[in-house]
Amino acid sequence: TGFYNQEGMKSQIYAFTKMNGDKDAVFIVIDIDDFKNIAETYGYSSGGMVIRNVVSVLKSSFRKDEIISHSGGDEFCIFLPEPFTYEGLKRRMDKLVDDLKFEVDDMKVTCSVGVCKYPEGASDYETLYTNAKTGEIENILVITDTQNGILTM
């Protein structure tokens, strides 16, 4: 994929926090919905096409200074090392969710996306990941922000 692995992402976030302190950033977790079922039903070559499509969308959706990792299987993480307004982030995530809807071999593919803001929602990789994942599992897009509460998009 050309993306970082999970350890590489952790290192990038650690470096960001050491250099930038409390500068705002955003952490995103993306899971391909029902990926295991897709691979088992349509075959692993179709599963590979799904992964390649997601990789293509992510490469076209994020800049070089925005850090992407493929944690393995159906999961990707993105770290945006810059501040966003709620409205700006919502627009960007709405577009991403739309771009991550596609078809491969007559199967409809969707992805779940969870978001956590740094440092308001969490200040380390594990908590960023957990809080972003919580929003994604609830099948809603959530920005975790302890100053303003949990904002549902």
Side-chain angles (χ1 to χ4, degrees):
T1 63
F3 297 155
Y4 286 96
N5 62 18
Q6 186 176 16
E7 289 304 313
M9 174 64 85
K10 284 181 186 179
S11 295
Q12 291 294 311
I13 291 173
Y14 179 77
F16 174 86
T17 60
K18 287 294 179 202
M19 287 179 43
N20 298 288
D22 289 340
K23 179 183 172 196
D24 289 348
V26 176
F27 186 79
I28 304 163
V29 176
I30 298 170
D31 265 335
I32 302 168
D33 297 332
D34 299 319
F35 182 73
K36 183 178 178 188
N37 185 46
I38 290 169
E40 290 175 353
T41 302
Y42 294 93
Y44 289 98
S45 64
S46 292
M49 285 192 294
V50 169
I51 295 288
R52 285 190 293 279
N53 280 8
V54 170
V55 166
S56 177
V57 168
L58 296 180
K59 284 182 176 179
S60 67
S61 298
F62 296 98
R63 300 184 317 260
K64 297 255 186 250
D65 64 328
E66 298 173 324
I67 303 157
I68 305 172
S69 71
H70 183 199
S71 304
D74 64 342
E75 186 173 88
F76 297 84
C77 297
I78 299 103
F79 187 71
L80 309 178
E82 59 199 61
F84 279 92
T85 64
Y86 174 80
E87 294 78 18
L89 184 57
K90 182 176 181 342
R91 271 193 309 277
R92 193 155 184 204
M93 292 302 99
D94 286 345
K95 181 176 180 347
L96 179 62
V97 168
D98 285 344
D99 291 347
L100 288 170
K101 293 178 186 172
F102 54 88
E103 287 190 31
V104 171
D105 293 339
D106 296 327
M107 64 184 140
K108 293 184 188 318
V109 178
T110 59
C111 295
S112 296
V113 178
V115 179
C116 184
K117 288 178 74 178
Y118 171 90
E120 296 93 350
S123 60
D124 61 82
Y125 173 84
E126 286 76 16
T127 311
L128 284 165
Y129 177 84
T130 299
N131 289 350
K133 196 83 172 142
T134 299
E136 170 224 303
I137 289 171
E138 292 171 3
N139 203 23
I140 55 175
L141 186 57
V142 170
I143 299 175
T144 304
D145 180 336
T146 55
Q147 290 180 342
N148 300 310
I150 295 178
L151 309 173
T152 305
M153 291 197 233

